[in-house]
Structures are given as C-alpha cells and as structure tokens.
C-alpha cells in the first residue's frame, strides 16, 4: 500500500478532481470488502457496509490528516462501520444466511476463475474461518482479521484500533488461541 | 524458557514480531517441548488456513456503484454549485429571511399609509368650501365677476 500515491490522489481530489477518488476506491475496494465479509459474515450486509465505508471516507476526506496513513484511516472507518452494522442490523436475511451457511454469492468475484475442486476447498476453508470468527468477541475478531487477512503490522493495527501495540499483541495471541480451540474441535 | 512464557510468545513468532534473541530462545524451547511443539503446529495450521482463504474480491461494478451514488448525493445535497463555507451559507439564508421580513413590514406600513391617506382625503373634502362657492366660474355670476375684474384692471 503506497502511502505517497494515496497522498497524491487525496490532494488531487481536494483540488476538485473527483476521479481521483474513484482510483482510491478501486485500490482499496477488495480489502475493505474482505474486511466487511469476515466481520459481518453476510454477503449483502458486507457489500452495503463496504459502500458505506467509501461514502463516509468521501465526506470526511477533507479532514484527513496526511501524517496518518490513508489505509489505516480507511480500515478504522471499516471496523467502526461493521460494528455499527452488527449492532443495528442482525437482519432476517443475516439469520437465514447463517442458517444455510452460505458464504458465497453470485457476485463473489474471487471464485470465478477457480477449478471446481479448488472452489470447493476454498469455500470450505472460508466457511470454517467465518464460523470460528463469528464465535469470537468483536475486539479479538477485528485484531485477527487485520493481522491474518489484511496482513497489517502490529503497529498499523494499533493505529487502526486506537490501542497500544501491547494490547494488539495480546488480542492477536488470544484470538489465535481461541481460533485454534474452535477449529481443532471442528476439523 | 517456561511453557507459559513460550505460549505467550508463540503468536508473535508466527507474525515475525520477536527480537532475534527471543526468537532463538523460543525456537529452542519448541524443539525440546512436545506440548509446545504441538501447540505451535496447530497455531501454524490456523495461520495457514487464513492464508489459504485469501481475500474476497469486491462485487462487479462496485466502484462504479459507489461513484454513481456519490454523484447523485452531490447533486441533491447542495444547491450551491461550489464549496462555500458554512458561515457564508448561513449568512445567505439569513439575508433571504431579512428580505422577507423587510417586505412584510414595509407592506404593512404601506397599507396603513394608504388607509390614512384615504381618510385624510375624506376629511379634507368634507371641510372643503368648494361646495359653497357663491359664484362658480362657469355660472352667470362667475362670468360677471370675471368681466368686472378685467374691466377694473384696465
């Protein structure tokens, strides 16, 4: 994630070039969508939440301070938006989908170019991870997703979650212990 | 190193966040302790599971949808074509309200004045002596007075 590129795009946007924002959306859409998928487990909520993240970022971009990283700022909006979604809308559709265990949707682009065996394997893997993540407290879930899925460093995670590096380290460690217990029981 | 300390550091080992001395000490412990070795293997398996799951791809047309929505929002959000500071927008609204108030007040004053003007005209006409003119200019007496005045002037 190139920080100078982001700053350049943001300054172009702030000087009136709206298309610069579309470049930022294209650059981060997969990461934010993935974050929302693992945080929310529901395809439709994840898409709505990911869109909301970019709407919120757009409205607040003029207040963004260039000394911070754009992507950690965006992830922070993402985590907060997902937490809001979880609190507000444990909708009937989420419930039905969790019953059916469906983690993919017709619009799941990452599965389009995959062989049937690999597709099945990938679906099962994601299903297990989503199942285990759903059983975890929100704080641990956010920390482990940012580390394992988004591959952020401890320092970056601390920035996103507004916590100390020590807290992040401890949350990730506890999250791994919990995941191990849940997943080893089910494998 | 004790197993309790080893457990605490195991996650940081997977993430490559240990100092070289810590890493060396923990690695040696894992080689010597069967329980910790098993735990380390299981934690690595969980980590590999995440790596295998990878990232999702955003739905097709995601960025277009976002930008279209933002364009609609921009159009409906403001009647101001360019970004204007909030205090100027408020001043503009205040100015519009002031114009309306001035209009209402001046309208009232005008209506009141028209009424008093009509009233004054009525009073003036009621006291006018024109109705009692003994010799209006177009009457015979008026013509006589005019004639005598002209003659006197000569």
């Amino acid at each position: 994630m190139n920080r100078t590129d982001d700053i350049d795009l943001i300054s172009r946007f702030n000087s009136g070039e709206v298309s610069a924002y579309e470049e930022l959306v294209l650059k981060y859409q997969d990461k934010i969508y993935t974050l929302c998928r693992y945080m929310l487990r529901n395809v439709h909520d994840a898409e709505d939440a990911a869109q909301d993240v970019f709407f919120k970022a757009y409205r607040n971009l003029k207040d963004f301070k260039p000394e911070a990283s754009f992507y950690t700022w965006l992830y922070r909006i993402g985590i907060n938006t997902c937490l809001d979604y979880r609190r507000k809308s444990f909708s009937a559709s989420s419930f039905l989908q969790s019953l059916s265990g469906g983690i993919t949707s017709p619009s799941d682009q990452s599965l389009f170019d995959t062989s049937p065996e690999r597709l099945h394997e990938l679906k099962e893997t994601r299903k297990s991870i989503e199942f285990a993540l759903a059983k975890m407290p929100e704080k641990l879930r956010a920390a482990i997703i940012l580390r394992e899925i988004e591959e952020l460093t401890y320092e970056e995670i601390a920035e996103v979650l507004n916590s100390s590096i020590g807290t992040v380290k401890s949350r990730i460690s506890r999250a791994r212990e919990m995941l191990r217990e849940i997943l080893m029981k089910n494998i | 190193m004790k197993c309790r300390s080893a457990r605490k550091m195991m996650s940081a080992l997977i993430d490559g966040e240990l100092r070289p001395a810590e890493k060396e000490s923990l690695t040696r412990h894992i080689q010597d302790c069967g329980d910790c070795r098993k735990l380390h293997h299981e934690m690595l398996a969980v980590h590999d599971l995440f790596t295998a799951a990878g990232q999702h791809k955003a739905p097709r047309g995601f960025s277009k949808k976002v930008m279209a929505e933002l364009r609609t929002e921009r159009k409906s959000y403001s009647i101001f074509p360019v970004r204007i500071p909030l205090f100027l927008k408020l001043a503009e609204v205040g100015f519009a309200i002031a114009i309306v108030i001035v209009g209402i007040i001046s309208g009232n004053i005008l209506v009141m004045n028209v009424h008093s003007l009509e009233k004054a005209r009525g009073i003036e006409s009621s006291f006018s002596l024109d109705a009692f003119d003994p010799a209006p200019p177009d009457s015979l007496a008026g013509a006589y007075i005019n004639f005598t005045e002209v003659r006197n002037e000569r």
Side-chain angles (χ1 to χ4, degrees):
Chain A
M1 284 171 273
N2 193 329
R3 204 172 149 171
T4 44
D5 281 357
D6 291 348
I7 291 170
D8 178 49
L9 287 169
I10 291 164
S11 61
R12 274 166 56 198
F13 170 77
N14 283 335
S15 58
E17 197 183 321
V18 181
S19 64
Y21 190 71
E22 190 167 4
E23 286 185 47
L24 283 169
V25 177
L26 278 167
K27 187 173 175 184
Y28 290 108
Q29 61 179 12
D30 291 347
K31 290 183 180 299
I32 295 300
Y33 179 69
T34 302
L35 175 78
C36 296
R37 278 293 295 266
Y38 284 111
M39 284 295 288
L40 297 171
R41 214 186 166 195
N42 174 282
V43 177
H44 303 292
D45 284 355
E47 188 175 349
D48 289 349
Q51 285 186 10
D52 273 358
V53 172
F54 287 106
F55 297 153
K56 285 178 188 171
Y58 179 90
R59 288 180 206 124
N60 294 293
L61 202 54
K62 59 183 184 305
D63 302 324
F64 170 75
K65 292 177 182 70
E67 55 266 29
S69 310
F70 174 71
Y71 62 89
T72 54
W73 181 73
L74 198 63
Y75 276 127
R76 188 185 295 183
I77 298 175
I79 295 282
N80 290 333
T81 305
C82 290
L83 294 179
D84 281 349
Y85 262 73
R86 283 183 66 86
R87 280 180 209 122
K88 279 184 212 159
S89 63
F90 185 71
S91 59
S93 63
S94 314
F95 179 66
L96 287 172
Q97 195 170 19
S98 67
L99 279 182
S100 67
I103 60 156
T104 56
S105 74
S107 60
D108 204 338
Q109 291 291 303
S110 55
L111 305 179
F112 275 11
D113 310 320
T114 321
S115 67
E117 296 81 19
R118 169 81 185 110
L119 182 79
H120 178 71
E121 202 178 294
L122 190 61
K123 274 168 104 174
E124 288 303 311
T125 306
R126 286 180 173 173
K127 207 157 117 181
S128 324
I129 288 175
E130 291 190 4
F131 169 79
L133 285 172
K135 290 187 175 297
M136 294 175 74
E138 280 170 353
K139 285 180 178 174
L140 300 190
R141 188 188 315 143
I144 197 72
I145 290 172
L146 291 173
R147 174 65 214 143
E148 290 284 22
I149 305 283
E150 307 291 348
E151 297 177 335
L152 263 58
T153 63
Y154 285 6
E155 206 176 351
E156 289 168 332
I157 298 169
E159 206 178 310
V160 173
L161 301 178
N162 208 15
S163 316
S164 69
I165 292 181
T167 307
V168 167
K169 200 172 169 179
S170 145
R171 281 185 195 168
I172 292 172
S173 179
R174 278 159 56 209
R176 279 214 175 97
E177 282 275 350
M178 235 181 137
L179 282 169
R180 186 187 65 86
E181 278 171 27
I182 299 165
L183 290 167
M184 290 301 147
K185 256 186 228 167
N186 288 281
I187 287 172
Chain B
M1 180 179 277
K2 288 184 177 168
C3 292
R4 202 173 156 193
S5 311
R7 272 179 166 250
K8 276 188 182 173
M9 291 162 75
M10 225 167 261
S11 173
L13 175 71
I14 292 170
D15 293 328
E17 297 267 355
L18 286 182
R19 284 192 289 267
E22 289 174 324
K23 187 181 170 185
E24 197 188 322
S25 163
L26 180 59
T27 313
R28 207 178 309 129
H29 177 84
I30 289 170
Q31 280 167 357
D32 297 341
C33 173
D35 285 349
C36 288
R37 197 164 49 246
K38 183 174 175 274
L39 182 70
H40 183 239
H41 278 305
E42 287 176 356
M43 275 194 162
L44 272 178
V46 171
H47 172 70
D48 291 344
L49 207 61
F50 273 100
T51 310
Q55 291 216 340
H56 286 278
K57 278 214 159 44
R60 210 171 268 180
F62 180 88
S63 65
K64 297 277 170 227
K65 243 190 242 179
V66 169
M67 294 312 290
E69 191 74 34
L70 287 173
R71 264 190 289 274
T72 317
E73 187 186 282
R74 268 209 325 274
K75 273 181 197 162
S76 60
Y77 177 68
S78 178
I79 54 164
F80 302 96
V82 286
R83 282 187 189 177
I84 295 174
L86 184 66
F87 75 93
L88 277 180
K89 287 184 183 180
L90 289 175
E92 199 159 338
V93 172
F95 184 66
I97 293 170
I99 287 176
V100 171
I101 291 171
V102 167
I104 292 168
I105 292 171
S106 56
N108 277 338
I109 291 170
L110 198 67
V111 168
M112 280 162 62
N113 282 348
V114 165
H115 277 298
S116 57
L117 204 65
E118 280 174 0
K119 234 185 238 175
R121 272 189 201 143
I123 292 166
E124 197 185 338
S125 65
S126 64
F127 283 98
S128 173
L129 292 174
D130 286 352
F132 305 105
D133 195 348
D138 52 347
S139 66
L140 189 61
Y144 175 74
I145 289 168
N146 279 341
F147 175 72
T148 49
E149 276 177 357
V150 170
R151 205 174 57 178
N152 287 342
E153 278 173 11
R154 280 181 194 163

